[in-house]
Amino acid sequence: MGKNDVAIIDSISIDSRSLQNDDNTLFFALSGPNHDGHSYIEELIDKGVKHFVVTHIPKSVEGRANFLLVENTLEALQKFASYYRSLFDFPIIGITGSNGKTIVKEWLNFLLSPDYNVIRSPKSYNSQVGVPLSILAINEKHNFGIFEAGISMMNEMEKLQKIIQPNIGILCNIGSAHDEGFPSVAEKIKEKLKLFTSVTVLILNKNKTILAFVNPKIKTFTWSSVDKTAAVFITTKKTDDLTELQVTYKEDTFPLTIPFQDQASIENAIHCMMVMLYLGYNSKVIQTRISQLYPVEMRLKVKNGSTNCTLIDDSYSSDFQSLKIALDFLENQKQHKKKTIILSDIFQSGLNNEELYSQVSQLIISNKINRVIGIGETISQYKNKFINCSTFKNVSEFTDAFDNLNFGNETILIKGARDFHFEKIVSLLEEKTHETVLEINLNAISHNYNFFKSKLAPNTKMMVMVKAFGYGNGGFEIAKLLEHHKVDYLGVAFADEGISLKTAGISVPIMVLNPETTSFSAIIQHHLEPEIYSIKGLKAFLKIAEQKKLKHFPIHIKIDTGMHRLGFEEGNIQELSQILKGNESVQVKSILSHMATSDDMKHDAFSKSQIALFDKLSSQLQKELNYNSIRHILNTSGITNYPEAQYDMVRLGIGLYGISNDSDEQKELETVGTLKSIISQIRTISAGESVGYGRRFIAERETKVATIPIGYADGIRRSWGQGVGYVVIENKQAKIIGSICMDMLMVDVTDIDCKEGNAVLIFGENPTVSFMAKQLNTIPYEILTSISQRVKRVFYRE
């Protein structure tokens, strides 16, 4: 490209895996503790990307593309976004706080869209990377912006302020989220307030502690339900499923109905009302629109569908930016070659329909979607822009034609605006199971993976264990996410687990840790890699390998250094070497051992003796074979406690799922699995009456009993019953009473205001799996792997 040539850029990318990268993409090669975007430049050039922002030009790609050299690519992205923001002059709301940012943003978009062309952060894009990407989506037809800013440590907000440059500020609830990143609550408040250094007005709940840190030059617009000196005074009364407010502002008092009762939703709705008051809306418009607020689903959920389909449920919003995110997620989580999208009319400010649906069409083509089903009056008019497309005016038309659409063996993205009620489509397609679900947070898995990855030397590989159905959390979905993170190896216990993953399309190398000799042929057929731990097993595998005329088939040699479970002992190494030396049927891909006490520093001397023996025997074997293999001995706790023994690879297990034996490390990990159910029935019994088998609970007073449809067949141990354990209903502990049955358990809800159909938390944040394990004198592994596969798994990304 010459000095005077002009490159047309219509998208910014930081993700090399996105199918949306093309010749009009500017790729920022971001670097972090666990990744370096520069590593993927050659791959991106091969896909057609021509323009890059880099800190250096890899030698292999010199002269093959256009490169902008900068000192720091993240700072360059942020400065570029800041400059781009300065090109627009219209009201922009900046929202921060610990809780409620995304909901307030989504509700404000709903409330203000009838009057403005609104641009807002897609999903929860509020980070140091997410904010600039959000800002760069502004176009010349927008005239109102709403952006959220999230921080987790000191000295982050100033950068976000320069990018968003808000002139209206909203400070949401300040809670305990990310407290560990700040010296004190006061410092956390001061850091968050940096977003508002140049605002015309700051909207917040009147709080003396917070106001003490607000710059007196900044105009505040406060509300309160206790302090009548606030600009807006509010009283609340809860009725049925609603909350009735009396709002007093200036000389006017008017009623306001909010269709929620929880305190968080009430506060979020009030913040939205305050914005409308500030913008001059009259009380009647505010009343009408606020009464129509709706629950905001902030998750992309992966669900099992009928007829062997996988559903990605994103049925609450439909705009161009969130569509891009959903399509990337579809590619990340697809479980079938065939990809279908069910799409409603797109609601996108700033573009006419011709432009908009042309862009949507190109997006869908770049993501290699096989079938498009459009629902809505507008998308039906642009049917010809899509390949293999059928359209329906509304959901009813779609439902009538459902049986003829032949869904089966495909991944289906269901992406629709809330007004279309696509939840009806999800219900039609969803596999029917009972109400108990194990929710798996894919964000938490990514966080935990990156946490342990950050502990490794740059060249140390990572194997992640997904045996036992991903420790009870789900095998394929987690394997697919790890493949997306470019994990080096996956580990399973038995061949059938690995075959299942390979058949489903996982391409990452998979090691089988406990292969039976009868499974060797299947292991070879499905390109799995067996762990070999005995002379007998080695000879059996070599016999099959020679029959099949294999060349350098990868195997993994297990050495016993003190676990005394499986593996070659020191006395076997010479014989092992003699058998392998010169044998071209197989290649020793790795040499491994397993630590017995890496989680207990009382046995530090024993652990170090294991490491020393492993070093000695693996070195001896490599010398005999005359080539180097990958060496690995560390498990999850070993990664933390014995960093000097990383060798070439480590094996991450229970840590991925958010569990550590180290209390300090546990604080850094995120909860992955949350087991939920509902209340099936509530009854009241008199003193002296009993509950359950064997009358093991006798009421001492009139007692309200709730029955929950989960029991020991679902994996809840019977010993968790009879007053030992509890569930959480309406944020209160409800003791389990009597014996846990096969399919049900009963809890005491006498002092809890609840009703049939209410949600029940079995484990997650409280009680944690670790707490349950401690109370039951077992280990978290047993709790997790006991959850029956009849319990529906729902995977989601925030």
Side-chain angles (χ1 to χ4, degrees):
M1 185 170 148
K3 285 185 179 180
N4 298 318
D5 291 342
V6 175
I8 303 298
I9 301 297
D10 61 17
S11 68
I12 303 297
S13 176
I14 59 165
D15 188 351
S16 64
R17 299 161 296 198
S18 175
L19 295 180
Q20 296 156 31
N21 294 321
D22 59 23
D23 57 354
N24 292 327
T25 297
L26 177 61
F27 183 83
F28 282 77
L30 303 185
S31 300
N34 310 307
H35 66 272
D36 184 353
H38 295 80
S39 305
Y40 308 114
I41 291 175
E42 187 166 13
E43 174 187 326
L44 285 163
I45 291 174
D46 292 339
K47 291 178 180 177
V49 180
K50 298 177 180 177
H51 314 293
F52 299 87
V53 179
V54 297
T55 58
H56 62 279
I57 303 173
K59 286 189 177 180
S60 61
V61 296
E62 285 179 354
R64 293 184 58 196
N66 302 315
F67 296 99
L68 298 173
L69 281 168
V70 298
E71 289 186 11
N72 182 302
T73 48
L74 175 58
E75 287 183 9
L77 175 65
Q78 292 172 335
K79 287 177 180 177
F80 177 40
S82 179
Y83 163 74
Y84 187 75
R85 159 67 182 94
S86 68
L87 301 178
F88 300 91
D89 183 21
F90 52 75
I92 286 195
I93 297 176
I95 309 172
T96 194
S98 302
N99 311 106
K101 297 184 292 294
T102 302
I103 292 172
V104 170
K105 177 201 69 188
E106 291 298 323
W107 282 353
L108 281 173
N109 176 66
F110 165 75
L111 295 166
L112 302 181
S113 285
D115 311 301
Y116 297 94
N117 287 331
V118 178
I119 174 71
R120 72 193 192 281
S121 315
K123 301 294 183 184
S124 298
Y125 269 38
N126 58 31
S127 66
Q128 299 291 307
V129 175
V131 168
L133 292 177
S134 300
I135 289 291
L136 289 167
I138 299 174
N139 68 48
E140 66 279 0
K141 295 181 181 177
H142 292 122
N143 58 13
F144 204 104
I146 311 170
F147 298 97
E148 43 176 313
I151 55 171
S152 57
M153 61 183 69
M154 297 294 292
N155 304 315
E156 288 187 325
M157 190 60 87
E158 189 174 352
K159 296 173 184 175
L160 300 187
Q161 191 280 330
K162 289 177 180 176
I163 300 168
I164 299 173
Q165 302 168 39
N167 34 45
I168 299 172
I170 302 175
L171 182 64
C172 293
N173 177 279
I174 299 288
S176 59
H178 302 298
D179 273 357
E180 67 279 1
F182 302 91
S184 65
V185 174
E187 291 300 322
K188 180 178 179 179
I189 293 169
K190 286 195 280 187
E191 181 70 18
K192 287 185 180 292
L193 288 172
K194 288 179 182 177
L195 179 62
F196 310 122
T197 51
S198 300
V199 296
T200 305
V201 65
L202 170 59
I203 294 168
L204 74 162
N205 186 352
K206 191 169 186 180
N207 178 298
K208 289 181 181 178
T209 303
I210 294 174
L211 286 169
F213 298 113
V214 175
N215 186 329
K217 294 180 180 179
I218 295 174
K219 177 186 174 184
T220 59
F221 186 36
T222 62
W223 64 271
S224 179
S225 55
V226 292
D227 187 343
K228 291 187 176 182
T229 65
V232 179
F233 182 69
I234 299 165
T235 60
T236 63
K237 185 176 81 170
K238 295 179 181 179
T239 59
D240 297 324
D241 294 327
L242 308 173
T243 303
E244 301 286 351
L245 306 186
Q246 286 293 323
V247 180
T248 302
Y249 174 49
K250 296 182 177 177
E251 304 302 318
D252 187 21
T253 297
F254 60 91
L256 190 63
T257 300
I258 297 174
F260 302 97
Q261 284 199 325
D262 64 288
Q263 193 56 39
S265 295
I266 294 169
E267 285 195 21
N268 293 335
I270 290 172
H271 280 121
C272 293
M273 176 204 70
M274 293 290 287
V275 171
M276 296 183 80
L277 285 173
Y278 176 75
L279 293 174
Y281 283 85
N282 66 52
S283 59
K284 287 188 177 179
V285 174
I286 294 173
Q287 287 167 328
T288 302
R289 294 188 188 175
I290 292 283
S291 68
Q292 296 170 357
L293 291 179
Y294 52 88
V296 173
E297 178 55 74
M298 293 183 290
R299 301 169 173 180
L300 280 159
K301 292 182 179 178
V302 182
K303 300 176 177 179
N304 289 330
S306 56
T307 61
N308 195 34
C309 289
T310 301
L311 311 182
I312 296 178
D313 180 1
D314 192 12
S315 55
Y316 87 95
S317 69
S318 183
D319 60 84
F320 190 72
Q321 288 302 110
S322 68
L323 176 61
K324 292 175 73 173
I325 295 167
L327 286 167
D328 274 340
F329 185 68
L330 166 63
E331 184 61 24
N332 168 223
Q333 278 294 313
K334 69 176 181 185
Q335 299 185 22
H336 308 274
K337 288 184 179 178
K338 185 178 178 183
K339 297 185 289 185
T340 294
I341 181 170
I342 302 175
L343 184 65
S344 78
D345 288 348
I346 302 285
F347 295 115
Q348 180 72 34
S349 300
L351 289 174
N352 65 49
N353 285 334
E354 186 70 32
E355 291 176 298
L356 175 60
Y357 285 96
S358 293
Q359 289 188 17
V360 171
S361 171
Q362 286 304 309
L363 197 57
I364 286 172
I365 290 168
S366 67
N367 278 269
K368 300 175 182 176
I369 302 300
N370 303 96
R371 174 164 64 152
V372 177
I373 296 174
I375 299 179
E377 298 275 354
T378 309
I379 197 170
S380 296
Q381 295 172 26
Y382 294 93
K383 177 180 178 178
N384 63 341
K385 290 188 177 291
F386 302 96
I387 298 169
N388 192 18
C389 177
S390 52
T391 58
F392 303 91
K393 295 292 175 60
N394 50 50
V395 170
S396 295
E397 275 193 14
F398 169 86
T399 303
D400 292 340
F402 181 77
D403 291 338
N404 297 320
L405 290 170
N406 300 318
F407 290 105
N409 302 303
E410 56 195 303
T411 302
I412 306 168
L413 171 60
I414 302 163
K415 178 78 176 143
R418 175 183 163 271
D419 289 348
F420 282 84
H421 299 289
F422 270 20
E423 66 273 9
K424 296 175 183 176
I425 295 176
V426 175
S427 180
L428 268 178
L429 286 164
E430 196 171 4
E431 183 180 63
K432 302 303 182 279
T433 55
H434 63 91
E435 296 103 332
T436 298
V437 297
L438 180 62
E439 292 186 347
I440 310 299
N441 185 338
L442 296 175
N443 294 73
I445 289 179
S446 295
H447 169 87
N448 297 338
Y449 173 83
N450 286 326
F451 172 78
F452 284 101
K453 186 82 172 168
S454 70
K455 291 174 174 281
L456 305 183
N459 296 322
T460 302
K461 299 179 186 295
M462 177 84 87
M463 174 186 285
V464 176
M465 311 310 296
V466 291
K467 60 183 181 177
F469 193 51
Y471 289 64
N473 291 284
F476 172 80
E477 294 82 1
I478 291 172
K480 187 68 179 173
L481 177 62
L482 294 168
E483 186 172 62
H484 190 66
H485 281 298
K486 301 188 183 293
V487 69
D488 300 287
Y489 261 92
L490 296 173
V492 298
F494 298 104
D496 56 352
E497 295 176 309
I499 291 169
S500 175
L501 293 176
K502 285 292 185 183
T503 302
I506 296 297
S507 59
V508 174
I510 299 175
M511 176 177 156
V512 183
L513 280 81
N514 305 327
E516 297 155 317
T517 54
T518 54
S519 69
F520 283 159
S521 291
I523 283 173
I524 293 167
Q525 178 187 344
H526 292 278
H527 306 288
L528 302 172
E529 302 181 16
E531 174 190 287
I532 304 294
Y533 49 80
S534 68
I535 296 293
K536 179 184 176 183
L538 176 60
K539 287 180 176 178
F541 189 83
L542 287 175
K543 183 179 179 181
I544 295 173
E546 287 161 5
Q547 289 172 354
K548 292 182 180 291
K549 297 182 170 53
L550 300 181
K551 286 286 185 184
H552 305 300
F553 193 91
I555 64 172
H556 302 263
I557 297 297
K558 175 76 169 285
I559 296 174
D560 181 7
T561 57
M563 184 77 161
H564 296 331
R565 193 171 63 177
L566 293 173
F568 293 95
E569 296 180 305
E570 187 168 7
N572 305 133
I573 298 298
Q574 195 59 45
E575 182 182 3
L576 172 65
S577 302
Q578 289 304 314
I579 295 171
L580 289 171
K581 207 182 294 184
N583 190 307
E584 294 200 351
S585 296
V586 297
Q587 181 182 31
V588 178
K589 191 72 175 179
S590 83
I591 305 168
L592 67 145
S593 189
H594 197 80
M595 299 183 74
T597 58
S598 62
D599 60 334
D600 190 346
M601 298 310 287
K602 288 187 297 187
H603 298 289
D604 180 55
F606 180 78
S607 292
K608 286 178 176 173
S609 73
Q610 278 198 274
I611 293 168
L613 183 57
F614 175 69
D615 191 88
K616 173 187 171 184
L617 299 183
S618 60
S619 297
Q620 181 184 334
L621 182 57
Q622 289 194 134
K623 185 177 179 183
E624 294 282 350
L625 296 177
N626 199 30
Y627 62 81
N628 291 330
S629 305
I630 298 168
R631 295 194 288 174
H632 49 113
I633 187 172
L634 297 185
N635 53 5
T636 295
S637 48
I639 293 170
T640 299
N641 293 332
Y642 297 97
E644 71 279 5
Q646 289 180 12
Y647 290 99
D648 307 296
M649 186 161 72
V650 299
R651 301 188 301 272
L652 178 61
I654 196 74
L656 182 76
Y657 306 99
I659 294 170
S660 172
N661 291 301
D662 184 290
S663 57
D664 289 332
E665 186 170 85
Q666 184 64 59
K667 295 173 186 174
E668 301 291 333
L669 301 178
E670 293 184 358
T671 299
V672 168
T674 301
L675 183 59
K676 293 180 176 180
S677 192
I678 64 162
I679 297 175
S680 294
Q681 190 175 44
I682 296 175
R683 72 184 69 247
T684 300
I685 63 172
S686 302
E689 291 191 285
S690 62
V691 172
Y693 288 116
R695 303 196 71 207
R696 294 185 179 94
F697 173 80
I698 306 291
E700 296 179 355
R701 59 170 181 165
E702 184 176 88
T703 303
K704 191 165 65 167
V705 180
T707 300
I708 318 298
I710 184 171
Y712 58 76
D714 300 292
I716 307 301
R717 290 176 58 169
R718 288 184 78 244
S719 50
W720 188 235
Q722 299 191 63
V724 175
Y726 64 89
V727 301
V728 174
I729 300 171
E730 297 296 320
N731 295 315
K732 293 183 179 179
Q733 292 184 13
K735 280 276 187 185
I736 300 173
I737 55 178
S739 294
I740 291 176
C741 309
M742 182 181 288
D743 311 299
M744 286 170 275
L745 58 83
M746 287 70 73
V747 298
D748 183 349
V749 293
T750 307
D751 301 317
I752 300 175
D753 182 14
C754 58
K755 56 190 177 183
E756 292 173 359
N758 279 177
V760 178
L761 177 64
I762 312 297
F763 67 63
E765 296 286 352
N766 173 32
T768 64
V769 169
S770 297
F771 173 81
M772 289 179 72
K774 188 174 181 180
Q775 297 299 109
L776 295 171
N777 195 29
T778 184
I779 56 175
Y781 296 77
E782 185 175 3
I783 303 292
L784 285 174
T785 57
S786 295
I787 302 304
S788 164
Q789 290 198 36
R790 81 175 187 175
V791 173
K792 177 181 175 183
R793 270 69 173 173
V794 173
F795 299 84
Y796 69 90
R797 175 169 288 171
E798 296 286 1

